[in-house]
Amino acid sequence: MNPTMRAVVLSSPGGVEQLQIRDVPLPQPAPGQLRIKVKAFGLNRSELHTRLGLAESDVTFPHILGIEAAGVIDEDPSGTFPIGQQVATMMGGMGRSYDGGYAEYTCVPVGQVIAFESELPWDVLGAIPEMLQTAYGSLTVGLDAQPGQSLLIRGGTSSVGMAAAVLGHRLGMRVLSTTRNPTKAEALTQLGVDHVLIDNGKVAEQVRAILPDGVDGAIELIGTPTLPDTLLATRVHGTVCFTGMLSNEWTVPDFYPIAYLPRGVRLTGYAGEAADLPAQILQGFLDDVALGSAVAPLDQAFSMDQIQDAHRLMESGQATGKLVVLP
């Protein structure tokens, strides 16, 4: 009998009922791949977009979602990693062009695997890889952020927003972060946010009441509905990095740059890969979390059997931090 594993299979785009637990064949590493025994996987908005049929991708159905996973090496024909090595993996077509991390095992290219050593619990470890990679890449590649600069995070209570606040604070930046819910302000303050802004769709005036010239850099995580206001909150020669689409809106109809962009404000974007997260950055962040000098913004952990509940919570936008599933 061929070996099998449990996995969350998306049968077709639609509601959470399309996410079904099934027994599927245990994947075998293709040339250049290795197999990971998944200990935890985080939930991401891109998976919600795929589930809802909103995202453009080469996904075919039925399909195993999941653009990231944390676990241990189960089989590595290349011999790059020892069996049992703790690793994280993300992106590179994972959960899109091939089956992803919503499973007990996943096979991925060797080059998109990052090794680490940590005694943190797996729910914490599972919360970190993709949100750290996205936050770190937005700050470094997207903004070229520097100590002493000011940073606006639009969508601050998302997992990436909270990770960006932690990194910005550790870098010595003056961090401004938004939330639509005043009850979440304390959670941001605890991460080291200097100024929490209650977002009613217009925060540029609030930003300029604190920094009259505007912020040096901003990370846009909500999407195109708030992007014009985020641009207005940014100083001349400052930069806005478009990273997220919490609103599920990511295009600008009839985009006319001269009318859309404030004079002298720069707009860039970030969508990264595992290679954008150096192993020493991941290891250092994990070490700091273990020491208590950094925070991993984890909201809640679920079992695989609770995947529909987890997706409902992600879709509601009520989570404060990362949602993680333990197979």
Side-chain angles (χ1 to χ4, degrees):
M1 180 180 294
N2 294 327
T4 62
M5 68 172 183
R6 298 177 80 227
V8 179
V9 179
L10 179 65
S11 55
S12 63
V16 295
E17 68 279 358
Q18 300 297 331
L19 297 168
Q20 299 291 329
I21 307 296
R22 297 183 186 173
D23 289 328
V24 300
L26 181 71
Q28 302 300 317
Q33 290 188 331
L34 52 71
R35 187 168 65 208
I36 297 170
K37 179 176 177 60
V38 178
K39 295 291 189 178
F41 59 85
L43 301 191
N44 298 278
R45 296 292 294 190
S46 66
E47 296 145 9
L48 174 62
H49 295 158
T50 301
R51 198 203 84 209
L52 295 175
L54 299 176
E56 295 182 7
S57 67
D58 51 359
V59 176
T60 57
F61 300 96
H63 194 75
I64 299 173
L65 298 179
I67 64 170
E68 68 173 317
V72 298
I73 297 296
D74 182 68
E75 183 178 342
D76 181 6
S78 72
T80 304
F81 300 98
I83 303 303
Q85 170 69 56
Q86 292 177 301
V87 292
T89 185
M90 67 208 75
M91 302 300 288
M94 186 178 178
R96 292 169 175 162
S97 58
Y98 57 91
D99 285 337
Y102 282 27
E104 292 181 319
Y105 295 85
T106 188
C107 290
V108 300
V110 174
Q112 70 177 60
V113 175
I114 308 171
F116 64 85
E117 301 285 346
S118 179
E119 296 183 359
L120 290 168
W122 281 108
D123 58 347
V124 176
L125 293 171
I128 291 173
E130 174 61 14
M131 71 177 179
L132 181 65
Q133 179 266 124
T134 304
Y136 179 79
S138 296
L139 287 168
T140 56
V141 177
L143 297 180
D144 190 26
Q146 301 296 319
Q149 289 185 331
S150 54
L151 170 69
L152 171 64
I153 303 168
R154 195 72 181 262
T157 54
S158 66
S159 60
V160 173
M162 297 179 84
V166 172
L167 294 179
H169 177 71
R170 294 173 71 216
L171 187 60
M173 303 185 78
R174 187 175 183 182
V175 180
L176 296 77
S177 190
T178 73
T179 178
R180 293 176 299 172
N181 187 345
T183 64
K184 295 183 178 182
E186 179 60 26
L188 293 175
T189 300
Q190 291 178 355
L191 294 176
V193 171
D194 298 290
H195 305 278
V196 178
L197 310 179
I198 305 305
D199 194 344
N200 62 359
K202 301 288 185 180
V203 301
E205 289 186 6
Q206 296 181 60
V207 170
R208 289 184 179 271
I210 300 167
L211 299 167
D213 291 334
V215 291
D216 296 304
I219 299 175
E220 177 60 71
L221 296 172
I222 297 176
T224 55
T226 54
L227 179 58
D229 187 61
T230 300
L231 288 163
L232 290 173
T234 306
R235 68 169 175 83
V236 173
H237 298 160
T239 304
V240 175
C241 180
F242 189 91
T243 297
M245 295 86 70
L246 294 169
S247 63
N248 295 341
E249 296 182 39
W250 51 86
T251 60
V252 179
D254 303 319
F255 177 63
Y256 177 42
I258 292 177
Y260 193 90
L261 298 172
R263 187 179 65 170
V265 177
R266 298 157 178 166
L267 175 62
T268 186
Y270 177 75
E273 302 290 345
D276 293 329
L277 180 61
Q280 65 269 25
I281 297 297
L282 174 60
Q283 186 65 61
F285 188 83
L286 295 177
D287 292 345
D288 285 349
V289 171
L291 291 171
S293 57
V295 177
L298 170 66
D299 182 283
Q300 189 173 342
F302 297 83
S303 70
M304 187 183 287
D305 292 320
Q306 296 173 305
I307 187 63
Q308 294 185 2
D309 293 333
H311 258 247
R312 284 191 190 95
L313 180 55
M314 176 169 60
E315 189 170 2
S316 75
Q318 295 305 306
T320 302
K322 190 79 168 187
L323 302 177
V324 174
V325 175
L326 305 174

